[in-house]
Structures are given as structure tokens and as C-alpha cells.
Amino acid sequence: MTKTILNIFLFFTIMNTTFSQLDRTIVPTPKKISPETLLKLPNVEEIKLENGLRILFVENSKLPIVNSQLVIHTGSSIETQQNFGIANLTASMLDEGTKTKSSLEIADEIDYLGANFSSSASYDGIFISLQTLKENLDKAFEMYSEIIFSPSFPENDFERVKKEILTNLTQQKDRASTVASLVFNKILYKTHPYSSQVSGNENTVKSISIEDVKNFYKNYFAPNNATLIFVGDINKTEIEKLVNQFFLNWERKSVESDCPLLKKEMASTSLYIVDKPNAPQSEIRIGHVSVSRMTEDYFKLMVLQQILGSSHGRLFLNLREAKGYTYGAYANFSYRKQEGPFVASAGVRTDVTDSSVVEFLYEINRIYTELVSDEEFEMYKTSVLQRLPRQFETNGQIADYLSSIAVYDLPLNYFSSYIKNIESVTKNDILETAKKNLHPDNLSIVIVGDKSKILDGLKKLNLGNIRICDTDANILEDITK
Amino acid sequence: MKSLILFLIIITNMTTFSQLNINYEKYELPNGLQVILHKDNSVAIVSVNIWYHVASANEKQGRTGFAHLFEHLMFEGSQNVPDGMYDKIVDGSGGQNNGSTGFDNTNYWSIVPKNYLESVLWLESDRMGFLLPGITQDRLDLQRDVVKNERRQSYENQPYGMSWMKIYDALYPSGVPYNWLPIGSQEDLTAASLEDVKEFFKLYYAPNNASIVIGGDIDIEETKLFVEKYFGSIPKGRDIIRPIPQPISLTETKRFVLEDNVQLPRLYLFWHSESMYEENDAALSILSDILSSGKNSRLYKTLVYEKQIAQDVSAFQDGNALSGNFGIIATAKQDISLSEIEKIIFEEIEKVKKDGITKYEIEKAKNSIKASFIYRLQSLGGFGSRTDQLNYYNTFFGNPGRFNDDLKRYQLVTENQVKDVTNKFIDNNKMVVLSIVPKSKLDLQAK
């Protein structure tokens, strides 16, 4: 009896020993699963109203949450030197008062329902969003509609909101990374609306009146210039009921909203320094005007961006992992209706500012002149192919995708063709698209840092003209090489 | 969703309380590793989330920032995983990964397509069991540089960036946990040696000091076999002596001022309060909402909306494992004196102390809290996600499914309790006051 038990023990001991001798040098190979299987795409449906309003929705009843987003297809890119910031001001004023409720009453009502409301502008549109529990949908949506259709734009609240925006603009100057991006955009886009940030500048915001905001609202808030999005625990019948109640009588009107066309000029590489005495880091931005969202190279550039600028891309591996110059280095293309910027960026230790610029240029030139290796290419491409599932998890994420479909007029089946489009990108495409869309001789390099410590090193790089700017990109001094 | 939903959430309004039921299964390996499995096959991804019960509270003076520096080294390769391979597998799969170090715990997570689950468990187990052969002096030096850059970027070169160090240093005596921030000091980072790395790893990065949550589109039985295969043979470590709460209190109000490259003055008021889940933690949280959450909250309405002397204001109860603090931070508009801001904050606090709060206010706060509990169940992986919350509840309370219980303690708070905690904790004779003012505008500080 004892022996049997011992034998059993022995047996288990052997089992365990075999088990613990797992060969850890063997890298597990993932089972092959087609990207199509991995990606459970949300089913996008569409309703079109007589008044021109387009409705896009995805039903997702996993949690009792409903998200809604109204997209107005006019944003800050129609602004002029005189009224930069008006789209943003209009968006900010929507929940500051309606025909029946004050600013504080609106806030209370939304908070009491546990709902979240936000309203913001981008270059390409205004986005008015609501998130609510299903059980409060009717009440929350009624408030939401009142905000959209009956804003009263009270003068007092307008002055307060303006003051808040102006104070924010002042505060931004504290942050080196923000200053670097703002100066970079100004240098790239000169007088075009993309030269300004969406919230405008101190002069323009000061000069905008409540009448201007009312006019903006009157001119651009129209069903035929809008898309309404629903995502979450809501079905078609429920959507139709809400829409019939609140959106059916919205009257169509003619809307003109054209952004001035961008004249793309390629200047030769120059360097701009904004002095920040005693800064422990230099904030670097390098790039040029690039492509619009409508570019035919979109999918190729997506893979290129992954190789060059992602969080384990070449710039990151070089400047952070190999050299230890920075906490992170990245590059990306900003897609808008017109040509957005390509920008590579990092905050680097002051004493390696010039060396960091050298590495940035090395990596931009490398992808521009050399084919990527097979191993790198496969890894980065798979990464782009397979990252989609986790980007369709929350209602908010899905709503954002629907709004990009609306804003850039993409087909409803856009994501089902995504896989095919990425799969067809080749190694040669990366080199070709780099040659076509990157311009290593036409870079604007902006650095916010301690001039007294970085200027000499930067001069030695012989990169072109060096100019010293203030935080508004006004040139203070022109230093010839 | 047409697919089979195993991720279950029931919400009932029959009573005052909402019911949140998240499915999970918990067990422990003989080496002490706690394993929690959570199945949700609505998205074809898997989240692997590991918490080690160690962080800056376990550090010694002179080696501050070490737990966080160590977190960086965890991504630099281990015995069988060459440097760079972790990112190559996780990012290369289309996945995402990150880690973070706080006062009480260090966490690591990755989200990958479901077929990469075994790969991630191989990676995680190799660095849990066999990290040291991968760590060389060069790697340590390099990550030390990266962390120092992180400190420059997130603190030194940030407006108001040095505030937190000052506040925690003022609240907690030297040598006591929480006196320093997880980022540590540049000096201590320089001093960290390879020997420190080895000691720290041997003691704290053992299976008996960790819990792993695996969630998403998994097969429970297959996942259990993987866990056994990769983690089963990692030896148990020594018992760990956890830092114990120290009786700490302020005997008087301490005032500090810092000049910074900023345009607007900012006021920080801090009190010792209670740790996470302590008796008054929930009531203090509700107090913070009533003070600063929403346009019609008391401080926001007075300072930002009506008087327009502040640009923003926020109040919060921050309960950590050993102790907690309550804070109010307000940014003044240009050239507004912080004394004026402080005076008005206390006028509002006095009203709560004397007259309490309304039924409407507490209901509003509770409704928002309930909704936020549900909103944050949306993501499977990443910071603050479902798998992260399961691990939070498990690490600190040994019970991964504490969602309901957590929500319930907020729903039970009464108006009177909120009034009482204000009287008990928010004392203007025992607080830390920090003024950050623009260079050469010392006259704007709170006196």
C-alpha cells in the first residue's frame, strides 16, 4: 500500500520534472488566423432624411450605453486671418444657454443624468458628442437636441468663455512642446488657415463678437451639412423615433464652406530656434507640408509611418533605445481635407540636441533612399494589419471612425477593404512613396530650447539658414551660416 | 452583437443599487501566482495584465525611483528573450503594451490578437522567472538615461512640473513611503547599481508577489494549460514584508512657494485623509465632486463661473494603500493673488461645514459615479480597463470582483457624512499650501 502511494508520488514527480524542463528557448509560433477572422467589423448602417441629414449607426448592445455625435461639416479651415478661432468659439458656446435654460442649468441636467456632453472643433468639422446610460437616453437626448437647435448665445457667458480661451492661449506658452508645434505650423502654412491652431490667436479671439458666432451658427448648422452618428445599445427603430421627434423639422439651406486652396511651396531646409533659457530639454519638430486625407498613397504611408515613426519604429529605436537621447521619438502624417503636415518630433536632452537632429535626418534619408529589409517590412506591415480589432472596442472609438467616414466621404465598407489595401502594399511601394511624399531637402526644423547651449552645435551641422524666433514664429534674428 | 456574450453585466434599478457582475475565475498556482481568467469573445483580442505588488513605497531613501527604473528594464530582454523581442512580438502582432509604476504597485499589460496569447505568456514568464541574465551594465545605463529623460520631459521641463515632489515631501516625513514620487531623484537614479537590480528582482519579482489577469477571446481550459506550462515551474520567492501605514499627521499649516516659468499662479491645498476603501474614502470622494465636478459645483461656480478669478479648479480624494490625501488645486487668472483664491475656497468649505450639502447635489454625484463605473467597463485591456480593474481589486483586496461592493459604498454615503468628513479632514490649521507663481511675482503667493 505504502509502496503504491510512493510509486504514484514518483510518477507525479517525474511528470513534474518533465514539465519543468520546458525548453524556454523555443519561441511559440502563433496559429495562423486570417486578418478577416480577427477583425469582427462593426456593421455600419445608414439612414438618409428628406432634409439631407445623413445618419450613420452601429448597434452594440454589450453595455447599456449610447453614444451620439453630430458632425457639422464645416470647421476652422474656412476661417480667415480676421476670425481664426470662430468655429471653436461657436462649438464652445452651444451649451452656454438655450431658449429655456441657463448655462448652469444645462450642466446640472447633464451631470444629474450621469451623461457626458462635449463640443469641439477641428479643421474639418464641429463635433457635438453625448454619452449616456441607456436608461437616461430619452431625457439626455432631449437636452442634447435643445443644445443643438436652440442655443441662445448669451452675451455674458460669451465674454466668460472668450476670457477662458484667451487665458488658455496665454498658458500654452509655458509648454515647450506646444510652442514647438505652433511655431512649426506657422512656418509651414504661413497665411493658410492651417497656420493657426483651431482655437485661434489672441488678436482674432478678442475681435470675434457674439454676432459673428450667431452668424457662423446660422450659416453652417444645416441638415445637409451634417451627419448624425449613433453607437451603442440602440436599434434602428429607436433611432428613427428619436430622429423623427427632434431632427425631422430641421430645415435644409444652402451652405458654402470652402477652405482656401493651399499653394504648396517647397522651401529649402532651414532651422528655427525659439529660445527657452535653462530648458533641460529641447523640443524638436522636423517636417514639411505633405498630403491630404484623399491621397491615393494613404495605405502605403500608413505602413511607412509605422516603420519610421511608431512607438517601436526606427526613430524610437534609434533615439531612445539605442542612444538614450529621449523618452520618445515619433513621426506621423496629419490627414485633413487639404495637405496636412508630415512631422517628426521628440523632446531631447539639451546637450544632445544637435546629435538628435543628425539622427532624425539620418532616418528620414534612410527610408527615402534604401529599401527596408524583409524582416522589418513584414513585422511593421503585420502590425498595421492586425491592430484594427482593438481599435473597435469602445463606443467612442467606433463613433470616431464613423465620423471620419462622414468627414472624408469614405465608403461605408471602408474597413472591409482596409485589409486588402494594406496587404497589397509592397516593399517597393514604401521606397516609392517615400521618394514621392518625403522631401529631405525641404525640411523645416523647429527647436525650442536653451539657445546659448545648442546654437553652436546646430551651426556646425550646416543645414541651411538659422533663424531665431519668438513664440509666435516672428523672426527676431537671421543667422547666416 | 450577434455573437455569444459571455461577458455579462446586469444592471437593475429595482433598488437604489446597481448590480455589476463581471464574469471571472480565480485560482492560485502552488508557487503563489494568482491567476484570474475573464472571458469575453466579442472582440478577437486578448489582454494580459500583470500586477507586481511592489513600487516606490518599497524603496529606501537614497534609491528613490528604483522601482520605476526597474520597470523599464523589464522591457529590455531576459534569459531567452533577446533585447527588442518583447516589442517585436507584441507591437509586431498589431498589439500594444505598456507598464506603469505607482506608489503601491507596478503593472504591465499587453493587448494582442487572440492567437498571440501563448507568445505573450512566454514573454511574461521569462521576465518573471529569468530576467537577470538579460540585464547588463550597458542596458542599465541606457534605461537610466531614458528614465532621466522622462523626468526632464514630465517634470523638469513641464510648467508646474515640480509641484508634486514638493507636496509629497511636505506631507510625508523623510524616509516614510510616499515622501518621494515614483520618478525618484536624478541623484538616486545615478546611484542605482546592477547589484540593486539583482536584489530587487529576487525579492519582489516572484510569482507569490504577482497576479495575472488574462481576459478576452480565450479558451479557459487551454489558457490554464498555458499558464501552468510557462509559470508553473517558476520558483516561489521569499515572503515579503510590506510597508506598514505610519501614523502621520500635520500639526500646523506649512506654506511653500516656488517660482516657475509660468504665466498663471497656481494654488495647491493638501490634507492627510484616508487610504483606499477606508471608512471615509467614499464620502471624501463625493465631497470632491460636489466641490469641483461640473460647472455648477461649488468651487467651480464661484471661482471660475461667477467671479472669474480662476481658470480651473479641481478637488480630489486620493486614497493609496497606506494612507491618502485630499487636494484642491486652482489656477488663478493672470495677476490674481492666490491669497484671494484661498480665501474664497475656505468661504465655500465653511458653508459645507456649517450647512452641509443638498439632496440634489449628492444624487447628482452618485449618478455620475454610477455611470462612470459602467462607462469604464468598455475596454478590455490597458490602463483603467476591465482586466486592470480586476487586478486592482485583487491586488489590494484579494477579491477581483469587487465592482459592486465598490459602487455600493458610494451609494451608501449620506449628506451628513459629507458634512462630517469636511469638518473632520479639511482643516485650515493643518494643511500643506503650495503656491507656484510666475518668476519675480512672489507677491501673488498665498499668505
Side-chain angles (χ1 to χ4, degrees):
Chain A
M1 186 67 189
T2 319
K3 203 178 165 192
T4 326
I5 291 175
L6 270 177
N7 277 341
I8 291 170
F9 264 120
L10 198 62
F11 175 68
F12 275 110
T13 318
I14 292 165
M15 281 284 292
N16 275 330
T17 321
T18 327
F19 221 49
S20 65
Q21 281 171 352
L22 160 75
D23 185 354
R24 291 186 183 269
T25 59
I26 299 169
V27 188
T29 333
K31 273 180 253 164
K32 279 270 171 253
I33 303 185
S34 71
E36 286 84 358
T37 320
L38 279 179
L39 184 57
K40 296 178 184 173
L41 278 172
N43 181 28
V44 184
E45 295 182 71
E46 181 174 13
I47 304 172
K48 195 98 192 188
L49 297 191
E50 292 274 318
N51 60 12
L53 181 68
R54 186 184 191 199
I55 297 157
L56 297 178
F57 67 97
V58 167
E59 188 182 345
N60 173 14
S61 51
K62 192 162 133 179
L63 285 163
I65 302 171
V66 178
N67 286 52
S68 176
Q69 188 174 77
L70 182 73
V71 181
I72 302 294
H73 293 265
T74 302
S76 64
S77 67
I78 62 142
E79 294 169 354
T80 65
Q81 301 271 21
Q82 280 69 49
N83 68 0
F84 282 145
I86 190 166
N88 176 59
L89 252 169
T90 308
S92 309
M93 281 306 294
L94 291 174
D95 65 336
E96 290 294 341
T98 66
K99 294 276 177 316
T100 66
K101 290 188 177 69
S102 72
S103 173
L104 294 181
E105 285 167 345
I106 295 169
D108 258 356
E109 186 150 330
I110 291 167
D111 292 344
Y112 192 82
L113 295 171
N116 296 320
F117 172 87
S118 74
S119 172
S120 64
S122 78
Y123 291 108
D124 295 325
I126 288 179
F127 306 86
I128 306 155
S129 308
L130 175 76
Q131 180 175 48
T132 175
L133 294 181
K134 168 90 178 189
E135 64 191 35
N136 297 326
L137 175 62
D138 286 343
K139 281 184 195 155
F141 203 80
E142 193 181 340
M143 186 70 253
Y144 180 64
S145 310
E146 193 174 329
I147 290 170
I148 292 167
F149 292 117
S150 325
S152 57
F153 299 118
E155 185 89 50
N156 281 345
D157 290 287
F158 178 66
E159 289 309 319
R160 189 193 86 252
V161 168
K162 244 169 94 163
K163 201 167 142 191
E164 278 168 17
I165 294 172
L166 286 168
T167 308
N168 260 328
L169 292 173
T170 313
Q171 244 184 322
Q172 281 180 347
K173 299 198 170 139
D174 297 344
R175 203 172 289 275
S177 56
T178 310
V179 171
S181 298
L182 292 177
V183 168
F184 178 76
N185 286 333
K186 270 203 176 160
I187 285 163
L188 249 52
Y189 289 101
K190 299 176 182 77
T191 57
H192 185 271
Y194 289 173
S195 66
S196 163
Q197 57 178 326
V198 171
S199 50
N201 63 51
E202 284 171 27
N203 292 332
T204 57
V205 171
K206 265 183 206 154
S207 74
I208 293 170
S209 72
I210 190 70
E211 286 311 311
D212 297 332
V213 168
K214 286 179 184 168
N215 282 330
F216 189 97
Y217 176 81
K218 206 164 67 196
N219 292 338
Y220 301 113
F221 278 59
N224 44 314
N225 191 38
T227 304
L228 180 62
I229 290 162
F230 291 94
V231 180
D233 192 3
I234 185 165
N235 62 33
K236 192 171 179 179
T237 317
E238 291 166 314
I239 289 172
E240 280 171 339
K241 191 176 149 254
L242 286 177
V243 167
N244 287 340
Q245 194 180 345
F246 297 108
F247 283 77
L248 215 54
N249 297 327
W250 196 7
E251 274 178 46
R252 178 194 283 271
K253 56 187 150 195
S254 78
V255 177
E256 277 179 45
S257 73
D258 287 327
C259 165
L261 274 185
L262 180 68
K263 275 186 240 124
K264 216 168 148 182
E265 300 158 22
M266 282 292 162
S268 58
T269 294
S270 319
L271 225 148
Y272 302 84
I273 297 172
V274 181
D275 189 19
K276 188 180 184 211
N278 299 318
Q281 279 197 323
S282 299
E283 281 289 343
I284 303 179
R285 300 290 179 275
I286 301 180
H288 50 68
V289 175
S290 182
V291 292
S292 82
R293 178 61 184 82
M294 285 63 179
T295 173
E296 56 186 19
D297 298 330
Y298 183 75
F299 293 98
K300 297 172 191 169
L301 289 172
M302 206 178 240
V303 181
L304 183 148
Q305 178 177 311
Q306 193 73 12
I307 301 170
L308 180 67
S310 66
S311 65
H312 70 129
R314 286 178 171 183
L315 287 169
F316 190 91
L317 293 177
N318 180 345
L319 279 101
R320 169 170 155 150
E321 292 298 310
K323 306 277 186 336
Y325 290 166
T326 176
Y327 182 46
Y330 309 91
N332 74 292
F333 296 86
S334 267
Y335 296 104
R336 302 169 190 165
K337 281 188 184 162
Q338 291 191 52
E339 287 85 350
F342 159 76
V343 59
S345 60
V348 304
R349 209 168 70 222
T350 298
D351 65 322
V352 291
T353 303
D354 48 353
S355 319
S356 298
V357 172
V358 169
E359 295 308 323
F360 268 113
L361 300 182
Y362 166 77
E363 292 299 352
I364 292 170
N365 273 306
R366 182 154 77 108
I367 203 153
Y368 180 85
T369 48
E370 290 172 25
L371 271 177
V372 289
S373 73
D374 287 327
E375 193 204 0
E376 262 186 306
F377 179 69
E378 279 313 312
M379 179 181 75
Y380 290 114
K381 187 169 144 179
T382 313
S383 165
V384 175
L385 258 183
Q386 295 190 160
R387 75 181 174 207
L388 230 48
R390 64 181 165 82
Q391 298 182 342
F392 285 105
E393 242 198 308
T394 67
N395 288 348
Q397 286 173 319
I398 299 172
D400 285 345
Y401 277 106
L402 295 189
S403 84
S404 72
I405 285 180
V407 170
Y408 302 111
D409 209 13
L410 305 171
L412 284 192
N413 68 353
Y414 174 73
F415 293 104
S416 27
S417 51
Y418 175 97
I419 292 166
K420 210 170 66 241
N421 282 316
I422 297 291
E423 266 175 347
S424 68
V425 176
T426 66
K427 249 172 55 167
N428 272 319
D429 286 341
I430 300 300
L431 187 59
E432 273 170 32
T433 205
K435 290 246 185 266
K436 182 172 156 196
N437 295 304
L438 292 180
H439 305 284
D441 295 326
N442 308 94
L443 296 168
S444 293
I445 304 174
V446 171
I447 301 175
V448 179
D450 188 336
K451 185 181 97 177
S452 68
K453 297 199 185 96
I454 61 178
L455 184 59
D456 287 347
L458 290 167
K459 275 184 184 163
K460 286 185 194 131
L461 300 181
N462 283 319
L463 290 174
N465 288 323
I466 298 182
R467 297 179 179 110
I468 311 296
C469 305
D470 65 12
T471 54
D472 291 318
N474 299 312
I475 290 166
L476 303 174
E477 193 185 343
D478 204 328
I479 299 174
T480 30
K481 311 175 257 183
Chain B
M1 286 267 155
K2 304 288 178 286
S3 58
L4 177 67
I5 304 295
L6 279 153
F7 160 59
L8 181 72
I9 164 160
I10 304 167
I11 295 175
T12 31
N13 289 302
M14 309 290 284
T15 67
T16 338
F17 310 120
S18 300
Q19 296 292 320
L20 308 169
N21 293 315
I22 311 305
N23 82 76
Y24 69 90
E25 184 180 334
K26 180 183 167 181
Y27 63 101
E28 195 173 311
L29 295 187
N31 60 14
L33 179 67
Q34 299 182 52
V35 185
I36 295 140
L37 307 180
H38 163 64
K39 189 173 167 83
D40 169 14
N41 60 3
S42 63
V43 197
I45 53 178
V46 168
S47 155
V48 176
N49 183 299
I50 300 191
W51 283 40
Y52 290 92
H53 202 163
V54 58
S56 69
N58 303 77
E59 292 165 353
K60 303 272 172 298
Q61 208 96 39
R63 285 293 182 277
T64 66
F66 192 80
H68 172 244
L69 173 60
F70 189 89
E71 175 217 314
H72 278 246
L73 290 170
M74 285 283 278
F75 293 92
E76 296 299 296
S78 45
Q79 182 165 325
N80 302 295
V81 180
D83 175 34
M85 191 156 193
Y86 189 96
D87 283 343
K88 233 178 230 174
I89 289 178
V90 175
D91 291 355
S93 76
Q96 198 184 0
N97 71 84
N98 213 333
S100 76
T101 309
F103 284 121
D104 305 305
N105 67 280
T106 308
N107 59 2
Y108 301 86
W109 56 262
S110 43
I111 311 167
V112 287
K114 63 177 183 180
N115 50 330
Y116 284 78
L117 172 61
E118 190 179 358
S119 317
V120 171
L121 296 179
W122 173 72
L123 290 166
E124 289 294 355
S125 62
D126 208 59
R127 64 187 186 177
M128 182 186 286
F130 316 93
L131 180 79
L132 294 179
I135 305 303
T136 58
Q137 187 66 45
D138 284 354
R139 296 224 181 292
L140 172 62
D141 291 342
L142 189 83
Q143 284 309 309
R144 193 202 315 271
D145 282 345
V146 172
V147 170
K148 286 181 166 186
N149 283 320
E150 182 178 353
R151 195 181 195 275
R152 288 179 195 104
Q153 186 153 321
S154 307
Y155 298 88
E156 297 165 27
N157 204 28
Q158 276 305 318
Y160 313 100
M162 304 311 279
S163 56
W164 295 101
M165 298 181 193
K166 190 77 216 167
I167 288 160
Y168 280 88
D169 183 50
L171 282 169
Y172 296 94
S174 169
V176 167
Y178 305 164
N179 166 265
W180 58 93
L181 296 190
I183 193 73
S185 74
Q186 294 282 18
E187 264 181 342
D188 289 1
L189 287 168
T190 306
S193 71
L194 213 49
E195 206 45 47
D196 295 329
V197 174
K198 285 178 186 159
E199 282 309 306
F200 193 85
F201 175 75
K202 280 185 201 146
L203 184 57
Y204 294 116
Y205 275 69
N208 47 308
N209 198 36
S211 83
I212 179 167
V213 179
I214 303 170
D217 196 354
I218 54 171
D219 177 292
I220 296 277
E221 291 315 311
E222 184 194 49
T223 306
K224 284 181 177 170
L225 288 174
F226 284 156
V227 170
E228 173 59 34
K229 178 175 173 187
Y230 289 105
F231 292 91
S233 61
I234 299 174
K236 188 174 185 157
R238 276 179 282 161
D239 285 342
I240 289 155
I241 300 160
R242 305 227 174 271
I244 41 169
Q246 311 271 341
I248 297 160
S249 59
L250 294 163
T251 49
E252 56 177 359
T253 288
K254 301 193 217 173
R255 291 182 182 269
F256 304 91
V257 60
L258 292 176
E259 287 175 279
D260 198 356
N261 286 315
V262 294
Q263 314 285 326
L264 308 180
R266 186 176 282 175
L267 176 69
Y268 300 76
L269 304 174
F270 274 78
W271 296 265
H272 284 293
S273 61
E274 287 193 353
S275 61
M276 57 172 82
Y277 253 88
E278 230 181 308
E279 192 189 344
N280 295 300
D281 177 46
L284 285 158
S285 243
I286 288 187
L287 170 66
S288 74
D289 280 348
I290 285 163
L291 291 177
S292 75
S293 172
K295 254 185 222 159
N296 209 8
S297 59
R298 298 205 174 192
L299 293 178
Y300 189 95
K301 183 186 168 195
T302 317
L303 291 167
V304 184
Y305 190 89
E306 283 173 352
K307 297 192 188 295
Q308 298 175 31
I309 54 173
Q311 178 72 356
D312 55 59
V313 59
S314 67
F316 47 88
Q317 151 66 7
D318 185 18
N320 294 301
L322 302 174
S323 60
N325 46 64
F326 190 92
I328 297 176
I329 303 177
T331 311
K333 297 257 198 228
Q334 237 162 348
D335 295 324
I336 298 286
S337 132
L338 294 176
S339 293
E340 191 184 345
I341 304 274
E342 185 184 341
K343 188 177 131 254
I344 288 162
I345 290 176
F346 276 100
E347 283 171 14
E348 289 301 322
I349 298 277
E350 280 313 309
K351 287 183 202 162
V352 178
K353 283 184 173 179
K354 208 166 133 266
D355 309 326
I357 57 165
T358 66
K359 185 162 175 279
Y360 181 80
E361 284 179 300
I362 199 166
E363 279 176 0
K364 189 171 70 166
K366 287 179 182 180
N367 291 347
S368 298
I369 289 169
K370 176 186 138 188
S372 70
F373 263 76
I374 298 167
Y375 296 147
R376 69 181 192 217
L377 292 176
Q378 292 187 81
S379 314
L380 174 73
F383 297 123
S385 65
R386 245 178 290 142
T387 45
D388 210 36
Q389 292 174 70
L390 285 161
N391 227 340
Y392 162 80
Y393 290 127
N394 187 61
T395 301
F396 294 116
F397 313 109
N399 173 7
R402 218 166 168 175
F403 295 86
N404 256 327
D405 187 49
D406 194 4
L407 177 56
K408 198 168 165 181
R409 65 194 184 103
Y410 292 99
Q411 306 291 0
L412 287 172
V413 172
T414 64
E415 289 100 303
N416 268 335
Q417 258 177 296
V418 175
K419 184 180 166 187
D420 291 347
V421 296
T422 315
N423 279 299
K424 183 170 177 194
F425 294 98
I426 315 304
D427 182 347
N428 61 355
N429 293 314
K430 286 173 189 167
M431 59 174 180
V432 170
V433 182
L434 171 65
S435 300
I436 294 195
V437 295
K439 287 260 151 82
S440 73
K441 293 207 172 162
L442 282 168
D443 55 315
L444 293 178
Q445 68 179 292
K447 283 174 208 145

